[in-house]
Amino acid sequence: MKKTLFLCLFLCCLNMVEAAEKVYNLYSPSGEIHVKVTVSDLVRYDILYQKVPLLSQGVMQLELVSEVLGVRPRVVSHSTKRVKETLQPVVPLKFSTIDSRYNRLILNFSGNYSVEFRAFDDGVAYRFIIDRKGIVDVANELFRVGIPGGSLLHVQQAKSFQTSYEEPYQHLSVEEWHDVSDRYTLLPMLIKAPNDRYILISESDLTDYPAMFVTPAEGANTLTAAFPKNPTDFGDAGDRHVSLLKEADYIACTGGKRSFPWRYFVIATDAGQLLENTMTARLAPQNSIEDTSWIKPGLTTWDWWNGNGLSGPDVDFVAGCNTATAKYFIDFAKEFGVDYIMLDEGWAKSIHDPFTANSRLDLKEVIRYGAERNVGVWLWLPWLTVERNFGLFSKYAEWGIKGVKIDFMERSDQWMVNFYERVAAEAAKHRLAVDFHGSFKPAGMEYKYPNILSYEGVRGMEHMQNCVPDNTVYLPFIRNVVGAMDYTPGAMMTYHVDKYPNTRRPNASHIGTRAHQMAMYVLFETGLQMMADSPTQYQQHEDCARFMASIPVTTDETVSLAAKVGEYVVVAKRKGNKWYIGGITNSALAERTIELPLGFLKRGCPYLMTSYEDGPNANRTATHYVKRTREVTGEQTVKIKMARDGGFVAILENN
């Protein structure tokens, strides 16, 4: 009798659990991606690709100080919708027109909150939405998901939340990654699953909220999120940093009526699809700047990397942060069709005073001289100086400055994320563009404020011998997937890694071939591209310099031509009627031969292809290149050769 009663009670409880569990299925427009959302005691999700499980046992929660959203949830309504949108970014880096197609599921829960899922043909995204009165404190957010066993992770890892996102990539099995529990993994992170599927994880619509980091979770092959707490008390830590003396018990204090950042998974069946991905843009907030006609992406010189190393026969002055040097840069910019000059650290009398130039620099005369020649001037500033002198935006607009490069933030807590937005909004009010250096990765704010032309957040050329092609070749597959990247290419003095002389500014040099350097102007995406070397270096190598300067910053169309993560990458980009090809490779092979199909060209129409390629001796002498001119058509396949650390770059024009 007791056994019978126990069995009845067990079955009754089981039926109650089954009755309480509800499954919602969401498919991508093509039907290949399937999101299975299960609502029971928690909100869980599984993601399948072509009916094969890819990401499993995902769990989401939003932990407010007063309650936890996503625990014992009760669905009060749900809705689905098919959406087709056309987006036109103000600063187009991959495509001038983006077609966004997805299917949407919104689950509305009791307690005035919702979860929205979107299934695209190339990935999945979700976010929380709340509808509360007043202000809410978010203590934490749970992002937990299982990835396939045996996966390989391509990640940057930092020792703390204070990071400039410039760590080199590490390539770890999921098991090895789990063993490194004292590190924070930065977004974006790239996962190669054993079934040759790529999963890239990042976020978009990051506003009034901290950036997300990833750490191992309990259980095999499981990752979870970590967020910096909001700092509340600061101390002095030099001329460009502050020490964080105290933090709140929450990660964000924010409005009660809002949507939270998107957590997204790009899903690619081959590496080339990563190069064409626009997920951050499709999930970003709408442009908030009514008149964007003044926003001018472009090319700039940079006086920091080369250390004002002017050495030409016409240089009859002492180079440095002075008027004569700035005018020399402007003359070079005008002659080579460069839009701007960047005056980096040293232009000001004091790093604390953004209004007074040093005694050797007549800044107003430099601005006037540049305006006469249609060359704009940008100024570098540490973020702390900006924060303490927020009126500089209106003053710089009065002077005629075109943009500001703001450096050394190296944090992504809520306070600092809000600093980015305050800067972008104030700069836009005064028609100033912004380049964030020493920064976190792009996460959608650059679409809300398209005057944000670039972010650093990358191990770029300023790292000298510690910036190597074996790391750089990963950037198009990871960092550039999510947005603009201030890598600062353009070195004319180049070496292979085993022959690098460890040179220093003003004789700065870089690792990789000359063609490798030139190809970055096509390959790497940014709204503010830099010609990092000295004008006198470019004058000595005029053909290469003019070729690089002719490559546009914005792009109408992007096509992947050849790609293998960590080994080589070649893309074609169209601007108007011209096509541009750029490719780089690592140091693994003495020479790599790749066949490029030209089917992206207009059929039956001959094109003149002018290319700069690794020369026969580029394996030993990295500066050796050859220039070729030939006629091609869309029916052809072109064979290219790249040396170790090498590259290939070409412009194709209608004949």
Side-chain angles (χ1 to χ4, degrees), residues 470 496 513 564 566-568 585-594 614 618-619 641-646:
D470 283 352
H496 289 293
T513 68
K564 190 168 184 180
E567 295 189 24
Y568 58 85
T585 187
N586 63 2
S587 62
L589 300 179
E591 184 177 86
R592 195 182 295 276
T593 301
I594 298 176
D614 291 326
N619 245 338
K641 293 182 179 180
M642 293 189 284
R644 64 182 176 123
D645 305 325

Side-chain angles (χ1 to χ4, degrees), residues 156-398:
Q156 290 176 291
Q157 294 192 294
K159 295 180 181 180
S160 73
F161 290 125
Q162 291 188 262
T163 171
S164 60
Y165 284 69
E166 295 176 19
E167 291 79 3
Y169 287 111
Q170 295 179 301
H171 315 287
L172 308 171
S173 70
V174 64
E175 293 79 14
E176 291 171 325
W177 180 76
H178 257 268
D179 289 339
V180 187
S181 58
D182 63 339
R183 295 289 188 272
Y184 295 97
T185 294
L186 314 180
L187 296 182
M189 65 182 294
L190 181 63
I191 301 165
K192 184 180 181 183
N195 56 0
D196 287 332
R197 302 284 184 258
Y198 288 99
I199 307 162
L200 184 135
I201 302 176
S202 199
E203 59 186 339
S204 189
D205 197 7
L206 177 64
T207 184
D208 196 27
Y209 203 75
M212 186 172 84
F213 295 75
V214 174
T215 61
E218 290 185 11
N221 312 324
T222 305
L223 54 84
T224 190
F227 298 89
K229 299 285 189 182
N230 201 40
T232 58
D233 194 14
F234 305 94
D236 186 31
D239 58 12
R240 61 199 73 193
H241 293 289
V242 295
S243 58
L244 307 183
L245 301 179
K246 189 177 179 182
E247 61 184 25
D249 59 355
Y250 51 78
I251 63 173
C253 176
T254 187
K257 293 181 182 293
R258 63 163 296 177
S259 57
F260 287 86
W262 288 102
R263 309 328 181 173
Y264 73 72
F265 309 93
V266 169
I267 298 170
T269 55
D270 67 73
Q273 292 172 352
L274 295 169
L275 307 175
E276 301 174 14
N277 193 271
T278 58
M279 188 69 81
T280 299
R282 283 175 280 160
L283 295 170
Q286 293 183 344
N287 169 31
S288 66
I289 302 175
E290 187 173 344
D291 175 16
T292 60
S293 61
W294 56 273
I295 298 174
K296 304 294 184 186
L299 191 65
T300 183
T301 64
W302 189 31
D303 65 356
W304 183 90
W305 189 78
N306 55 71
N308 300 122
L310 301 178
S311 58
D314 59 342
V315 180
D316 57 358
F317 53 88
V318 176
C321 295
N322 56 44
T323 304
T325 302
K327 286 187 172 183
Y328 193 93
F329 272 75
I330 288 170
D331 289 339
F332 163 79
K334 176 176 172 54
E335 182 185 353
F336 281 72
V338 178
D339 306 282
Y340 306 108
I341 69 164
M342 174 75 70
L343 299 180
D344 212 281
E345 185 168 5
W347 73 266
K349 180 180 179 180
S350 164
I351 199 170
H352 304 287
D353 179 1
F355 302 107
T356 308
N358 71 60
S359 60
R360 305 174 306 280
L361 178 67
D362 186 340
L363 183 57
K364 292 188 178 180
E365 168 60 15
V366 168
I367 296 167
R368 183 205 64 79
Y369 190 81
E372 244 181 25
R373 289 153 181 78
N374 201 30
V375 177
V377 177
W378 282 60
L379 297 178
W380 172 92
L381 295 160
W383 75 269
L384 190 55
T385 301
V386 175
E387 175 62 16
R388 291 172 175 172
N389 298 274
F390 231 67
L392 63 81
F393 296 101
S394 60
K395 183 61 68 175
Y396 287 0
E398 290 177 20

Side-chain angles (χ1 to χ4, degrees), residues 396-521:
Y396 287 0
E398 290 177 20
W399 292 355
I401 293 297
K402 299 301 181 183
V404 287
K405 174 183 175 181
I406 302 177
D407 204 351
F408 289 106
M409 289 76 68
E410 298 181 358
R411 293 180 9 232
S412 54
D413 49 64
Q414 183 193 21
W415 190 99
M416 188 57 79
V417 171
N418 288 346
F419 169 80
Y420 279 59
E421 185 154 3
R422 287 190 291 115
V423 163
E426 188 66 16
K429 188 189 304 182
H430 299 286
R431 299 196 165 200
L432 290 172
V434 180
D435 172 24
F436 286 119
H437 216 63
S439 67
F440 56 71
K441 84 290 180 190
M445 194 183 297
E446 63 280 8
Y447 294 95
K448 184 177 182 180
Y449 299 98
N451 59 320
I452 302 175
L453 296 184
S454 195
Y455 299 75
E456 191 186 18
V458 64
R459 176 158 290 228
M461 209 165 72
E462 67 184 39
H463 283 268
M464 302 291 186
Q465 72 271 21
N466 294 316
C467 177
V468 296
D470 283 352
N471 189 74
T472 301
V473 75
Y474 284 92
L475 297 177
F477 301 103
I478 308 175
R479 174 59 179 80
N480 247 167
V481 174
V482 303
M485 183 176 76
D486 188 5
Y487 179 92
T488 63
M492 293 292 96
M493 294 172 60
T494 59
Y495 301 89
H496 289 293
V497 66
D498 56 336
K499 300 182 184 299
Y500 190 76
N502 203 26
T503 55
R504 291 287 184 268
R505 301 184 296 134
N507 298 308
S509 60
H510 194 246
I511 298 170
T513 68
R514 174 71 60 79
H516 180 104
Q517 278 289 311
M518 297 176 68
M520 293 177 183
Y521 285 83

